């Protein structure tokens, strides 16, 4: 039960930080999404996001900030194996399943509902 509470508190804190930044700085949702992805990438690059995931579990791995962490983790691991080209290929290798799922579910959603635009 304690792990659920920690996950809830950490995930909630990430969301509250995002909402406060949106409200106080008048950021759009798109700007906030990019900010959270970049923050996750920076924390991942500094080696701080993995300990947060180990501590909070889904509370840190579900928010969009973990996507930035996954991008950096993939880029760094492939860069170690194959060099500079690995930076580009590693980004897509680690995140391709999530990107593919988002595209497929968005397409299916557009078939079920009437999209505007």
């Amino acid at each position: 039960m304690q792990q659920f509470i920690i996950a809830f508190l950490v995930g909630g804190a990430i969301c509250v930080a995002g909402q406060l930044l949106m409200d106080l700085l008048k950021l759009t949702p798109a700007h906030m999404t990019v900010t959270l992805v970049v923050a996750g990438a920076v924390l991942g690059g500094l080696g701080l996001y993995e300990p947060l995931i180990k501590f909070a579990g889904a509370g840190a791995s579900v928010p969009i900030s973990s996507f930035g962490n996954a991008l950096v983790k993939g880029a760094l691991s492939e860069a170690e194996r194959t060099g500079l080209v690995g930076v580009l290929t590693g980004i897509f290798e680690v995140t391709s399943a999530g990107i593919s799922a988002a595209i497929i579910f968005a397409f299916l959603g557009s078939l079920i509902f009437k999209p505007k635009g």
Side-chain angles (χ1 to χ4, degrees):
M1 186 66 161
Q2 179 183 3
Q3 188 64 29
F4 292 124
I5 294 170
I6 291 171
F8 175 77
L9 292 175
V10 171
I14 292 171
C15 294
V16 166
Q19 189 65 48
L20 284 173
L21 287 172
M22 279 180 58
D23 292 344
L24 297 175
L25 300 177
K26 305 295 183 212
L27 297 175
T28 65
H31 288 111
M32 198 60 245
T33 300
V34 171
T35 301
L36 287 173
V37 170
V38 170
V42 170
L43 290 173
L46 295 173
L48 300 174
Y49 207 84
E50 285 301 318
L52 182 63
I53 290 174
K54 287 182 179 156
F55 173 71
S61 64
V62 171
I64 192 73
S65 53
S66 70
F67 184 72
N69 177 52
L71 290 172
V72 169
K73 187 167 54 170
L76 291 177
S77 67
E78 282 297 309
E80 288 176 5
R81 282 190 347 176
T82 61
L84 187 59
V85 175
V87 173
L88 298 174
T89 59
I91 290 172
F92 298 113
E93 186 175 315
V94 173
T95 59
S96 61
I99 294 170
S100 299
I103 292 170
I104 290 168
F105 289 123
F107 176 73
L108 292 175
S110 70
L111 293 177
I112 296 170
F113 303 101
K114 293 184 180 189
K116 296 178 183 176

